[in-house]
Amino acid sequence: MRTNILALLRRAAGGYISGEEISKQLEVSRTAVWKHIQALKDDGYEIESHPRLGYCLRRSPDILTPEEVRPLLKTALLGREIVYIASIDSTNNETKKLAAAGCVEGTILLTEEQHGGRGRLSRGWFSPFGKGIWLSVVLRPRFLPQEAPKCTLMTAVAVVKAIRKVTGIPCGIKWPNDILYQGKKLVGILTEMNAEMDAINHVVIGIGINVNIASEELPPDLAALATSLQIETGQPVSRRELLTVVLYELEQAYALVNTQGFDPILEQWRQLSVTLGQKVDVIGLNNRFSGVAVDIDRDGALLVDTPAGQERVIAGDVSIRPAGER
């Protein structure tokens, strides 16, 4: 009912619509309309009431509910189904359950905060309420399981393009799954797969974007490592606008992969990388070496030139960082 009332208020385009007209179109009592209007106000919607004119929607809260997101989408696949849970442990954990239960490809799960958000290698992810985009996407690709790790590179390309479009911030990709600006992390990406030997059942891609986190809100251990779009632009950024552009760019990238393979995406990744050409330390479970990151191969592995020769680094096996960083 609230969704339908919001749709009518938005259709009025800043004008008034009477309670009588709403009750007539939705076939409910005016008292029911009034109760739903009050509930919307409690949720943060700024709705002006006039005894003769009715109701007027002045401002919507910065929340990522289906009612707020769906009207802005410019995608055909991503967002076909939108699941919204205001507070959750991890969007990827819940989305994997949805995928295993057979949800449609393109389903997205959105939350306002994560209590157990995580990145690659089980690292934690700071996800405060209403301050970022904490999102997971379900894909059911037809390519082979060994190509699934490249979905992380595909997503990174899409998110960088979206952030540049919306904010103008010239951020770049740190191999394999982080997006940085001036050396500080803006975005983390976590790709998880369920597959058989020769076929992917589903891929869940988790995306965490630091949008409107103020510098004083960052935990002390993250202050030197992370940043947000608000910190870098000096003003709040519309999460809804950014989300819809991210989904659009990701859908375009996925369509490109499905028609032309990953090679065009890998070339775009090279152009947006902040890792290639840099000295890096590669830290594995049983070894560590330093060198210059020179390229990625067709599998998305990082190629590092060292004094002993070229090393091939596979995502998930190691961490990398700028040479000399502790």
Side-chain angles (χ1 to χ4, degrees):
M1 179 61 66
R2 294 181 197 177
T3 300
N4 293 332
I5 291 174
L6 277 174
L8 291 175
L9 290 171
R10 288 197 176 98
R11 199 176 302 164
Y16 284 88
I17 180 170
S18 70
E20 181 179 1
E21 182 62 25
I22 295 174
S23 65
K24 179 180 178 181
Q25 291 199 36
L26 300 183
E27 299 181 339
V28 296
S29 69
R30 293 182 63 177
T31 300
V33 170
W34 180 86
K35 288 181 178 179
H36 285 296
I37 291 289
Q38 298 311 305
L40 287 169
K41 288 181 177 180
D42 291 341
D43 287 341
Y45 289 88
E46 187 179 315
I47 301 173
E48 193 172 287
S49 303
H50 192 284
R52 295 180 181 176
L53 300 176
Y55 303 104
C56 175
L57 178 62
R58 294 300 186 190
R59 187 183 64 82
S60 296
D62 184 26
I63 55 177
L64 299 179
T65 60
E67 293 82 5
E68 289 301 312
V69 171
R70 191 171 284 114
L72 303 177
L73 288 179
K74 299 179 180 179
T75 50
L77 176 67
L78 302 187
R80 290 170 65 190
E81 296 289 339
I82 302 176
V83 178
Y84 174 81
I85 303 174
S87 182
I88 200 171
D89 64 336
S90 159
T91 60
N92 262 32
N93 286 350
E94 187 64 29
T95 305
K96 286 190 291 184
K97 297 176 186 177
L98 296 175
C103 72
V104 298
E105 183 177 39
T107 295
I108 66 173
L109 188 148
L110 293 162
T111 190
E112 300 294 344
E113 69 175 342
Q114 296 182 108
H115 300 294
R118 57 194 173 85
R120 197 172 64 89
L121 303 180
S122 299
R123 297 188 181 97
W125 187 266
F126 179 57
S127 314
F129 191 95
K131 298 292 185 175
I133 294 173
W134 324 123
L135 160 75
S136 291
V137 178
V138 177
L139 299 180
R140 299 187 184 277
R142 292 184 293 275
F143 46 74
L144 294 174
Q146 54 264 38
E147 296 213 87
K150 288 184 276 188
C151 287
T152 299
L153 308 182
M154 172 186 76
T155 304
V157 167
V159 174
V160 165
K161 291 169 73 173
I163 290 174
R164 290 185 174 194
K165 276 187 177 181
V166 173
T167 70
I169 294 175
C171 53
I173 308 167
K174 173 190 171 186
W175 187 92
N177 68 328
D178 291 334
I179 293 172
L180 310 182
Y181 178 64
Q182 295 185 346
K184 292 187 175 183
K185 185 183 295 189
L186 279 169
V187 181
I189 299 166
L190 177 63
T191 300
E192 298 183 277
M193 175 181 65
N194 179 291
E196 300 171 21
M197 287 295 292
D198 59 351
I200 295 173
N201 296 321
H202 60 258
V203 171
V204 171
I205 303 173
I207 305 169
I209 307 176
N210 298 335
V211 183
N212 291 325
I213 302 173
S215 56
E216 61 270 18
E217 294 174 318
L218 286 169
D221 60 327
L222 294 181
L225 304 174
T227 187
S228 74
L229 300 178
Q230 177 176 300
I231 292 171
E232 300 304 334
T233 62
Q235 58 189 5
V237 173
S238 169
R239 293 189 300 151
R240 283 172 292 180
E241 179 187 3
L242 179 59
L243 170 65
T244 56
V245 178
V246 165
L247 292 174
Y248 174 80
E249 292 294 340
L250 182 54
E251 181 162 299
Q252 295 301 303
Y254 187 49
L256 183 63
V257 167
N258 283 327
T259 56
Q260 299 183 37
F262 276 98
D263 285 354
I265 291 295
L266 295 181
E267 185 53 40
Q268 291 181 46
W269 188 96
R270 293 182 180 100
Q271 295 170 8
L272 298 171
S273 171
V274 296
T275 299
L276 299 184
Q278 302 298 312
K279 293 182 178 180
V280 296
D281 290 335
V282 179
I283 306 141
L285 294 175
N286 301 310
N287 68 328
R288 174 173 179 162
F289 58 88
S290 299
V292 177
V294 294
D295 201 0
I296 53 173
D297 64 17
R298 293 194 68 183
D299 294 324
L302 186 69
L303 304 180
V304 180
D305 281 349
T306 76
Q310 190 170 89
E311 296 281 351
R312 183 175 184 269
V313 184
I314 301 172
D317 290 350
V318 300
S319 293
I320 67 164
R321 62 191 187 191
E325 181 183 283
R326 294 188 175 185

